[in-house]
Amino acid sequence: AEYVDRAVQIAAKAKKEAGTRDALAKRLRCSGAHLMTNEKAEEVQEALWSGFLPLKVQVEDDGMESSASLPPLYLQAPRQAPVGAIQEQVLHLLGEGLPAGSVALTFWDTHQVHLNSNYPLGVVYDLLESGEIPWKLTVKCTRDHQGDEARDQFFNALKAASYAATGSAQHVITMPTAEANKLWDACRAGKRQEYKDAATSFHDKMENAQRFLVRVFCRRNKQKLDSDRGWSSKHIESKLKVVAAEKEGLMQTRQALKDWLQVDTDLETARLTIAGIPFPLELSLVQLWRLLRAPDYTLYIVVRWP
């Protein structure tokens, strides 16, 4: 009964979440350029950070006596947090069912494609799925694991963004441990204000920098992934760009994407989203970055071709 109640609650919240994203998409279509005041941009960021994905997670582990009989775990995870950040939620729900020793989890979708834990959960969902809610995942346990890989990967991404923006990653590297812990905890919990409070040593520098990172993922829907190719598949193209705010950043996103992807076809045939939200191609890259960037200060654009 507890699992059923949790599933029903998450389904209800998912419906509300979809409404919030539709409202954000409408605001971008109708008044995207007018959202560029600091106050309005903050409103959009707050809405993004409050978003989540409902998940249905099935545990698989030959070393767990009860794993085969475990019911699926229903949870909601922040869209903006990295895939690996949901590990603690799953471990907490598993509780006493865990084997002894240090345990790390890897996540797989229903097609047995291993999810890359470097990127925000919502970005991976938008790239791999077609609207299935809750998102059905399989989690596999690995024992005798040392360190927090998801956290390390997140801070590496943050260092890369800092270096691109300011020419140095020292703002991130020299963070006191307590401050870094607060930053990571806020990121994986989807708490934007706490994140900003922990990032006071570099947040303003990043927001006002003259360069920023944009990563574009492209995938053709008719070409399916499998567990052998996964993220190394030729069917998923990834491009990382350092964008100068006063140069390429002022370019319309339509033209920038055509140049980067080297396509002559009209992008209207593709589904383009940022943080799960369709966006007007007429907006500039710097406008979209200010409104829809991820916690690692990177703008992730997902392009799904028919």
Side-chain angles (χ1 to χ4, degrees):
E2 178 184 349
Y3 283 103
V4 172
D5 289 346
R6 187 174 180 84
V8 170
Q9 291 171 7
I10 288 177
K13 290 181 179 179
K15 186 176 181 180
K16 182 179 179 181
E17 158 74 4
T20 300
R21 295 206 167 292
D22 288 344
L24 275 176
K26 183 176 181 180
R27 288 183 72 185
L28 286 174
R29 287 195 306 272
C30 298
S31 57
H34 299 291
L35 295 175
M36 294 313 298
T37 65
N38 288 338
E39 182 180 353
K40 294 297 183 182
E42 281 295 310
E43 285 182 15
V44 174
Q45 277 283 302
E46 287 288 349
L48 287 184
W49 275 70
S50 67
F52 68 91
L53 273 174
L55 306 177
K56 180 181 179 181
V57 180
Q58 187 65 56
V59 179
E60 286 187 5
D61 184 0
D62 294 337
M64 291 176 63
E65 295 181 1
S66 58
S67 66
S69 59
L70 277 176
L73 307 175
Y74 289 93
L75 61 145
Q76 55 189 32
R79 246 185 169 273
Q80 295 281 71
V83 170
I86 63 176
Q87 171 168 308
E88 187 169 312
Q89 279 198 66
V90 175
L91 291 176
H92 175 73
L93 289 172
L94 287 175
E96 296 179 358
L98 288 170
S102 181
V103 175
L105 307 178
T106 55
F107 295 88
W108 307 71
D109 75 355
T110 51
H111 307 293
Q112 286 300 298
V113 174
H114 179 220
L115 306 189
N116 191 314
S117 60
N118 293 12
Y119 308 119
L121 182 71
V123 171
V124 179
Y125 173 80
D126 296 335
L127 185 62
L128 296 182
E129 293 301 321
S130 300
E132 180 188 40
I133 294 294
W135 190 13
K136 298 181 180 67
L137 299 178
T138 298
V139 63
K140 300 180 182 181
C141 295
T142 303
R143 271 173 290 288
D144 299 323
H145 178 82
Q146 300 299 321
D148 190 337
E149 185 178 353
R151 175 193 165 108
D152 292 344
Q153 290 173 338
F154 172 75
F155 276 97
N156 285 338
L158 207 53
K159 291 172 192 174
S162 177
Y163 184 82
T166 68
S168 171
Q170 287 302 308
H171 305 303
V172 180
I173 294 172
T174 58
M175 284 185 73
T177 301
E179 196 172 296
N181 289 341
K182 289 179 181 178
L183 189 79
W184 174 239
D185 289 343
C187 176
R188 65 185 181 183
K191 296 180 178 179
R192 173 166 165 74
Q193 188 56 54
E194 291 183 16
Y195 186 93
K196 285 181 63 179
D197 292 343
T200 51
S201 62
F202 62 85
H203 178 74
D204 288 344
K205 295 182 181 71
M206 297 290 286
E207 275 210 325
N208 299 313
Q210 294 305 303
R211 295 180 301 277
F212 58 89
L213 291 180
V214 178
R215 184 178 287 279
V216 183
F217 287 113
C218 298
R219 180 186 171 196
R220 295 193 178 277
N221 291 338
K222 64 182 179 182
Q223 294 176 316
K224 294 183 178 181
L225 299 174
D226 61 37
S227 55
D228 294 327
R229 292 192 297 265
W231 279 86
S232 63
S233 169
K234 63 182 180 182
H235 303 141
I236 287 185
E237 183 180 4
S238 173
K239 291 183 179 292
L240 181 65
K241 297 288 185 178
V242 180
V243 175
E246 298 299 322
K247 293 181 181 179
E248 303 102 307
L250 299 177
M251 188 184 298
Q252 279 194 355
T253 302
R254 181 194 308 277
Q255 189 58 51
L257 288 177
K258 282 188 174 183
D259 292 347
W260 293 347
L261 303 177
Q262 298 180 340
V263 294
D264 296 323
T265 56
D266 193 343
L267 288 170
E268 301 295 345
T269 61
R271 174 173 170 78
L272 296 96
T273 57
I274 301 173
I277 300 170
F279 58 91
L281 288 166
E282 292 73 24
L283 291 181
S284 69
L285 289 168
V286 71
Q287 287 174 320
L288 291 173
W289 181 83
R290 288 195 63 197
L291 294 170
L292 302 175
R293 66 179 180 272
D296 61 7
Y297 296 90
T298 299
L299 181 69
Y300 291 93
I301 302 176
V302 173
V303 182
R304 295 280 296 262
W305 297 98

